[in-house]
Amino acid sequence: MERETSTSKKLMIEEFTRLSDLIKSKYGVSLWLVEIMGRRHSYVAGHKEESFLPPQVIYLNEEFAVVSNNWDKIPEKEKKKLINHLKMFSGT
C-alpha cells in the first residue's frame, strides 16, 4: 500500500527544495527539512550533511523544522527572511 502525501506537504517540499538549492549554490550551506514525529525527526528533503557537531534545528511549526550545520554562513537578514517565508509557507 502506497502512502499518500497531502498537497500542502507536497508544495512545502517543492518550495523547500527550491530554496535549499538556492542557498546551497549561493552560500555552500546544506539545509534539510525534517518532519517532526514525536521525539523523532525524519528527513524529508534538501541537502543533508554529516558533521561531528550536532546540527542546529529551527522549528517552523509543530510538523516541520529546518536543520543545518552552518547557519552562521548565511547572513542574518537572509536567514530571517528564509525562515519567515518557510513558516508562512508551512501555514504558521
Side-chain angles (χ1 to χ4, degrees):
M1 180 178 218
E2 187 174 322
R3 293 179 62 190
E4 290 186 32
T5 303
S6 70
T7 303
S8 62
K9 184 176 177 181
K10 194 180 281 187
L11 291 174
M12 174 73 180
I13 291 169
E14 288 174 5
E15 180 65 1
F16 180 82
T17 301
R18 183 185 74 77
L19 292 171
S20 67
D21 288 347
L22 182 70
I23 294 294
K24 180 78 173 177
S25 67
K26 193 170 181 180
Y27 300 108
V29 174
S30 297
L31 299 177
W32 59 100
L33 181 69
V34 295
E35 185 172 6
I36 302 164
M37 306 169 111
R39 295 176 57 182
R40 189 174 141 238
H41 292 176
S42 178
Y43 171 85
V44 176
H47 304 275
K48 192 172 181 181
E49 183 177 296
E50 299 297 327
S51 172
F52 292 110
L53 299 174
Q56 183 183 8
V57 180
I58 296 179
Y59 292 92
L60 301 175
N61 59 25
E62 295 175 353
E63 188 177 4
F64 293 107
V66 180
V67 182
S68 181
N69 293 324
N70 294 303
W71 283 112
D72 56 328
K73 291 184 179 178
I74 303 173
E76 193 63 32
K77 186 176 179 180
E78 189 140 356
K79 184 171 78 176
K80 282 183 180 178
K81 192 174 161 184
L82 171 74
I83 297 303
N84 286 337
H85 177 74
L86 288 172
K87 282 182 175 180
M88 186 180 72
F89 211 87
S90 67
T92 57

